[in-house]
Amino acid sequence: QVQLVESGGGLVQAGGSLRLSCAASGLTLNGYAMGWFRQAPGKERQFVGVINWSGGGTGYASSVKGRFTISRDWAKNTVALQMNSLKAEDTAVYYCAARRGIYYSGDDNADRYEYWGQGTQVTVSQ
């Protein structure tokens, strides 16, 4: 059974930092792209960033580039999303997701992702 479990969400002041983690089980991640998406109330799910598990290549939405960083830990089978310089508009539920294949460029499409975590709330106060 495949499971993606996010952790690390919470409440932070604007300008602060949070680190989200996504633990994968029941899945061999070689050949997978691991993505992060977010959804704010009343808005559509939005691409945040992605990492190729095997090669380590990454991509980010323009709204978070330079502030957010995605990394992977081979030993723990986890993916992390380091979020710095947080803004109120970053407030959303953040989801980890996995899909077969390699990410190349641009904003990745959520419809391509096969597996999803349950989400973790990030709230940034002014």
Side-chain angles (χ1 to χ4, degrees):
Q1 181 182 359
V2 176
Q3 275 195 313
L4 300 177
V5 180
E6 301 99 335
S7 61
L11 173 65
V12 65
Q13 287 190 331
S17 299
L18 275 177
R19 185 177 179 87
L20 306 183
S21 183
C22 172
S25 60
L27 192 64
T28 300
L29 293 180
N30 288 334
Y32 274 76
M34 301 295 295
W36 285 95
F37 293 80
R38 66 187 182 185
Q39 189 165 20
K43 296 189 176 181
E44 291 187 355
R45 191 164 294 190
Q46 178 188 34
F47 170 74
V48 173
V50 60
I51 187 167
N52 290 322
W53 183 263
S54 299
T58 56
Y60 299 92
S62 57
S63 59
V64 307
K65 195 173 293 185
R67 300 188 297 124
F68 291 10
T69 304
I70 298 175
S71 60
R72 70 206 193 291
D73 186 321
W74 289 88
K76 296 180 179 179
N77 225 39
T78 59
V79 175
L81 177 66
Q82 178 67 42
M83 304 185 294
N84 299 327
S85 302
L86 282 162
K87 306 175 182 180
E89 51 263 45
D90 294 319
T91 295
V93 177
Y94 283 70
Y95 298 90
C96 170
R99 67 166 176 86
R100 290 180 181 86
I102 296 173
Y103 166 81
Y104 290 101
S105 64
D107 287 359
D108 218 1
N109 189 335
D111 292 340
R112 300 183 65 185
Y113 283 76
E114 303 163 59
Y115 304 106
W116 290 84
Q118 82 287 352
T120 185
Q121 177 70 46
V122 171
T123 303
V124 184
S125 63
Q126 296 272 6

